[in-house]
């Protein structure tokens, strides 16, 4: 049996329920800025070996919690395990980012893609979730995640990180092929997130890292509609609680109102938009998560504290804020600076909750 939650601040804030202070976690909180992460990754031999080993994935998930008083754990995995499970040959070259050996370029390629069974091809993720829940023993909630169909498709079509020439070409010349791919990815992602929830994740986040490279109408047609289908299909209660959903489109500030229409409980906001503006745009219908510029963590701790104060003041009074960075923590960040940021949130945020 799973233990009751000792700290449910994150779940409460995601549902805009009262909290004593603003909850905080960090995108990429288990990552290369931590020496203990680098040591475990070296032991695993490669990033994929780390991801596919539930014991080691659990170990690195818990590392940031041993260091910092965070209000959530996030499953250690990657958005690209879906193309991996479809057999496309995923690897991560040192310093180069992801590579997909068999890129998807034609309607025939899309039709040939198998639909993974999460309990088979993604068993290692579900086993990691069960193990992490056991080790957490109810200390904080566990966040599960997947990439948006559009963002995962950019890697599948391009084969690597890119300027999006191929996928934008496909969007213009063969929109039906792209829709067929996105539809398949939406089905696979929904099945995968349902399996994560059944295995024990208590929050679900969809990372749409590249939605912001689209025009407004293309964003709606090729990214938002597919995220909406996923949100609509997710079970919203598990273990007697609501399972909140967070959508994050990097560069999507102008579309927050549309994103709130999907029925998501919370929206991630990058650092390019003031939370006060985001709050006005969404009319307090959803919780906002963010949005300190990760680059500011290179500044001295006293500057970090001022930056935290500005983010908290920008959101203002009220419970629907989850403190985070506006994107992932950078690998060359000093772990002591992360500690300073979290301490500042703990000290300064209670004034906004009374
Ligand atoms: O947030 C967390 O701590 C959970 C773990 C997590 C990872 N990737 C681990 C990872 C999460 C949530 C992701 C999501 C992810 N992966 C996204 C969306 C969020 C974002 O940051 O924009 C994207 C676009 C990817 C794809 C991906 N994975 C890229 C482009 C890279 C290489 C770039 C880089 O940072 O090196 C990865 C590798 C990756 N995923 C690493 C980690 C910790 C670094 C790999 C290493 O250890 O060498």
């Amino acid at each position: 049996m799973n233990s009751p939650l000792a700290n449910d601040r994150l779940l409460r804030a995601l549902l805009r329920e009262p909290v004593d202070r603003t909850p905080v976690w960090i995108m990429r909180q288990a990552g290369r800025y931590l020496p203990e992460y680098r040591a475990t990754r070296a032991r695993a031999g490669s990033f994929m070996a780390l991801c596919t080993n539930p014991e080691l994935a659990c170990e690195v998930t818990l590392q940031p919690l041993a260091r910092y008083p965070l209000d959530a754990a996030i499953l250690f995995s990657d958005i690209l395990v879906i193309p991996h499970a479809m057999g496309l040959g995923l690897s991560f070259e040192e310093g180069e980012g992801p590579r997909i050996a068999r890129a998807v370029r034609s309607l025939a390629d899309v039709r040939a893609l198998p639909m993974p069974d999460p309990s088979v091809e993604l068993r290692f993720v579900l086993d990691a979730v069960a193990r992490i829940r056991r080790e957490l023993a109810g200390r904080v909630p566990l966040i599960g995640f997947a990439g948006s169909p559009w963002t995962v498709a950019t890697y599948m079509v391009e084969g690597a990180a890119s300027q999006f020439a191929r996928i934008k070409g496909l969007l213009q010349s063969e929109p039906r092929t792209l829709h067929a791919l996105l539809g398949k990815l939406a089905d696979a992602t929904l099945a995968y997130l349902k399996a994560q929830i059944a295995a024990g994740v208590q929050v679900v986040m969809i990372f749409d890292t590249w939605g912001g490279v689209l025009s407004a109408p293309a964003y709606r047609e090729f990214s938002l509609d597919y995220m909406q289908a996923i949100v609509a299909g997710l079970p919203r209660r598990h273990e007697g609680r609501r399972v909140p959903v967070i959508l994050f489109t990097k560069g999507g500030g102008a579309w927050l109102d549309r994103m709130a229409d999907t029925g998501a409980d919370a929206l991630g906001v990058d650092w390019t938009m003031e939370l006060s503006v985001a709050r006005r745009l969404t009319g307090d219908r959803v919780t906002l998560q963010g949005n300190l510029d990760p680059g500011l963590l290179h500044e001295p701790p006293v500057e970090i504290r001022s930056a935290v104060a500005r983010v908290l003041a920008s959101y203002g009074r009220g419970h629907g804020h989850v403190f985070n960075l506006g994107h992932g923590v950078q690998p060359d960040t000093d772990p002591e600076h992360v500690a300073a940021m979290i301490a500042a949130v703990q000290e300064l945020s209670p004034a906004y909750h009374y």
Side-chain angles (χ1 to χ4, degrees), residues 242-297:
R242 187 169 171 92
V243 181
V245 179
I246 310 168
L247 293 188
F248 173 52
T249 294
K250 184 162 169 276
W255 308 320
L256 288 170
D257 194 33
R258 290 271 175 83
M259 292 169 73
D261 290 339
T262 59
D265 300 281
L267 304 178
V269 182
D270 70 27
W271 65 91
T272 61
M273 172 167 280
E274 286 276 356
L275 288 183
S276 58
V277 177
R279 199 172 175 183
R280 232 178 299 128
L281 273 175
T282 52
D284 264 339
R285 286 189 293 152
V286 287
T287 287
L288 298 176
Q289 175 173 282
N291 72 342
L292 191 89
D293 179 349
L296 281 173
L297 291 182

Side-chain angles (χ1 to χ4, degrees), residues 222-233:
F222 294 95
S223 187
L224 187 63
D225 282 357
Y226 291 96
M227 291 198 285
Q228 156 104 65
I230 294 168
V231 173

Side-chain angles (χ1 to χ4, degrees), residues 27-30 32 37 41 47 74-79 92 97-98 145 155 207 209 327:
M27 287 190 272
R28 294 273 175 109
Q29 65 190 25
R32 282 164 297 180
Y37 169 83
R41 185 185 182 286
F47 176 70
I74 178 163
L75 165 69
F76 187 81
S77 186
D78 198 82
I79 63 169
F92 289 84
F145 69 91
Y155 293 98
F207 286 90
T209 306
H327 196 207

